[in-house]
């Protein structure tokens, strides 16, 4: 089959591209390379911004994909706060452009990748797909709107689009930047002998999922998900951030620095979030990789990266 992956050079998109290639499918990656940087071998690639409808249409028409996986987005806790307009444009208008393009060529299935942060900051856990979106934060508002448009395009025009809401995904090729992603920030700091910073008191909870589980879940939803529906992709491994910090300190051979600094809670930081994967279990999917083994694989990747760096 022919698969288009928007945002296919990004962290999750590049893993998804690789898996489709490994199972014998053809892949075209569309990415504007603003944050993506990994075009996997064997995939075709076009540097296209999803806000450029003309180029997007042209690429889709020429390729004639069976499936479109839409991952391109503006993300990163800090970036979206700094750039709310761009976040809206890419995540809402860009999504509409992708849906439009896919509709014009009559694809069989579209995967819209949303986020678990649409559930907002409340203590109702585990999150079920039936919970109403409830967030007042820039990124989640844009993703909630994109989801709503997708659902309406399904209901009004029969567009075969299905949505996933990943919880916190981690693994090799994720970027440790000031823009977030706690696991790779902690691993990188520990490998470099730098202190860890915890925003707040560390009792906040996240539900981490290794990227391979996430990608398998996405492919399962493409194959068996019901059009118009949304599915959580949750690792089922909720952990407090302070416990995560201690776990990683134990897993990474001792460096000179074992400090944990406590900084003020980030604005709009969600306190505790974990998901139910009951709906996905109904499709025959559950996460397979334990937090410990996922962390080992991720640490190994970051070690290789730091060994390659000069000095
Ligand atoms: C993450 C994703 C987001 C996604 C959401 C749902 C980012 C960077 N991450 O947000 O795209 O929509 O999950 O899957 O956008 N923390 C520290 N110290 C650090 C870094 C983080 O204490 O050095 C804390 C944060 O305050 C937060 C937790 O760790 O409480 C997780 O942070 P992060 O990895 O940035 O993810 P989310 O905020 O959950």
């Amino acid at each position: 089959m022919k698969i288009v992956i928007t945002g296919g050079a990004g962290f999750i998109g590049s893993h998804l591209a690789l898996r489709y290639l490994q199972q014998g499918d053809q892949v075209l990656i569309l990415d504007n390379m603003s944050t993506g940087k990994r075009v996997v071998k064997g995939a075709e690639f076009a540097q296209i911004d999803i806000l450029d409808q003309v180029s997007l249409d042209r690429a889709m028409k020429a390729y004639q994909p069976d499936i479109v996986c839409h991952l391109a987005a503006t993300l990163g806790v800090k970036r979206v706060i700094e750039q709310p307009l761009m976040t809206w444009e890419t995540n809402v208008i860009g999504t509409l452009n992708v849906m439009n393009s896919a509709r014009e060529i009559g694809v069989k299935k579209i995967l819209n990748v949303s986020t678990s942060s649409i559930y907002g900051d409340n203590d109702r856990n585990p999150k079920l797909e039936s919970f109403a979106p409830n967030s007042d934060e820039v990124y989640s508002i844009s993703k909630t709107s994109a989801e709503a448009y997708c659902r309406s395009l399904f209901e009004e025009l029969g567009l075969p689009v299905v949505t996933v809401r990943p919880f916190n995904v981690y693994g090799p090729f994720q970027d440790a930047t000031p823009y977030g992603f706690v696991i790779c920030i902690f691993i990188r700091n520990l490998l470099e002998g730098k202190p860890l910073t915890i925003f707040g008191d560390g009792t906040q909870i996240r539900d981490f999922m290794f990227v391979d589980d996430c990608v398998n879940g996405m492919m399962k939803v493409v194959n068996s998900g019901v059009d118009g529906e949304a599915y959580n992709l949750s690792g089922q491994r909720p952990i407090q951030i302070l416990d995560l910090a201690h776990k990683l300190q134990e897993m990474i051979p001792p460096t000179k620095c074992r400090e944990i600094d406590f900084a003020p809670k980030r604005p709009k930081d969600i306190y505790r979030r974990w998901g139910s994967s009951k709906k996905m279990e109904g499709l025959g999917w559950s996460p397979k990789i334990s937090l410990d083994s996922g962390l080992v694989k991720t640490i190994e990747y970051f070690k290789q990266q730091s060994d390659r760096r000069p000095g």
Side-chain angles (χ1 to χ4, degrees):
M1 287 219 278
K2 291 171 102 177
I3 324 284
V4 159
I5 304 181
T6 73
F11 164 52
I12 301 175
S14 62
H15 282 275
L16 184 63
L18 199 58
R19 283 279 289 111
Y20 271 120
L21 289 167
Q22 282 167 348
Q23 72 168 30
D25 293 305
Q26 291 170 259
V27 172
L28 168 64
I29 288 170
L30 303 181
D31 203 302
N32 69 359
M33 303 309 271
S34 61
T35 50
K37 47 174 88 89
R38 182 184 179 218
V39 175
V40 293
K41 217 170 142 219
E44 291 178 55
F45 169 67
Q47 184 161 356
I48 285 175
D49 194 308
I50 55 170
L51 289 172
D52 176 359
Q53 179 86 72
V54 173
S55 303
L56 184 63
D57 284 350
R58 199 180 297 133
M60 291 273 222
K61 272 193 190 118
Y63 196 69
Q64 292 290 319
D66 302 287
I67 291 163
V68 173
C69 296
H70 173 46
L71 288 89
T74 296
L75 75 167
V77 172
K78 193 160 171 266
R79 187 181 298 108
V80 299
I81 293 171
E82 287 167 359
Q83 302 176 358
L85 184 58
M86 190 179 88
T87 302
W88 177 263
E89 285 175 344
T90 312
N91 297 359
V92 181
I93 299 173
T95 297
L96 281 169
N97 285 347
V98 171
M99 298 303 140
N100 206 32
S101 235
R103 189 167 86 85
E104 291 215 336
I105 54 166
V107 302
K108 294 192 185 90
K109 196 76 151 186
I110 309 161
L111 179 75
N112 171 51
V113 178
S114 183
T115 171
S116 58
S117 47
I118 64 145
Y119 293 114
D121 192 9
N122 56 70
D123 233 353
R124 233 178 133 199
N125 286 297
K127 312 290 182 205
L128 295 172
E129 290 86 346
S130 54
F131 290 5
N134 177 25
S135 177
D136 59 356
E137 166 272 313
V138 168
Y139 176 66
S140 313
I141 294 169
S142 72
K143 286 295 200 175
T144 303
S145 307
E147 270 197 32
Y149 277 120
C150 288
R151 202 167 40 251
S152 135
L153 288 170
F154 161 71
E155 281 165 7
E156 288 170 29
L157 302 170
L159 194 73
V161 56
V162 61
T163 287
V164 286
R165 297 172 181 161
F167 284 66
N168 288 59
V169 186
Y170 71 98
F173 297 98
Q174 194 169 38
D175 253 347
T177 69
Y179 291 105
F181 302 119
V182 66
I183 287 185
C184 46
I185 294 175
F186 282 0
I187 293 176
R188 184 202 54 196
N189 284 16
L190 286 167
L191 291 175
E192 292 176 0
K194 292 180 184 158
L196 306 184
T197 302
I198 287 189
F199 301 120
D201 63 4
T203 59
Q204 66 266 48
I205 291 179
R206 291 294 186 278
D207 180 352
F208 292 101
M209 173 171 49
F210 190 64
V211 64
D212 290 359
D213 274 332
C214 177
V215 160
N216 286 336
M218 287 176 171
M219 292 168 84
K220 176 61 90 177
V221 169
V222 166
N223 290 339
S224 336
V226 175
D227 292 345
E229 291 286 313
Y231 295 84
N232 285 342
L233 288 177
S234 132
Q236 304 292 291
R237 321 257 183 266
I239 185 171
Q240 291 196 359
I241 297 302
L242 185 58
D243 292 340
L244 175 73
H246 288 146
K247 184 186 263 299
L248 285 168
Q249 284 181 327
E250 276 168 29
M251 291 175 85
I252 295 178
T255 59
K256 286 185 198 110
C257 190
R258 279 286 178 249
E259 277 168 49
I260 294 181
D261 296 334
F262 288 88
K265 177 181 171 292
R266 290 191 313 205
K268 311 260 183 197
D269 197 22
I270 286 169
Y271 183 45
R272 301 201 296 184
R273 176 181 64 216
W274 66 93
S276 159
S277 67
K278 282 239 154 55
K279 196 166 170 182
M280 280 303 293
E281 282 162 21
L283 298 184
W285 175 93
S286 59
K288 298 281 179 263
I289 297 158
S290 70
L291 184 58
D292 281 23
S293 67
L295 291 176
V296 167
K297 289 174 208 265
T298 310
I299 293 167
E300 202 41 54
Y301 165 77
F302 278 99
K303 264 194 200 152
Q304 284 168 9
Q305 292 299 103
S306 63
D307 290 348
R308 276 198 210 116
R309 270 198 293 275

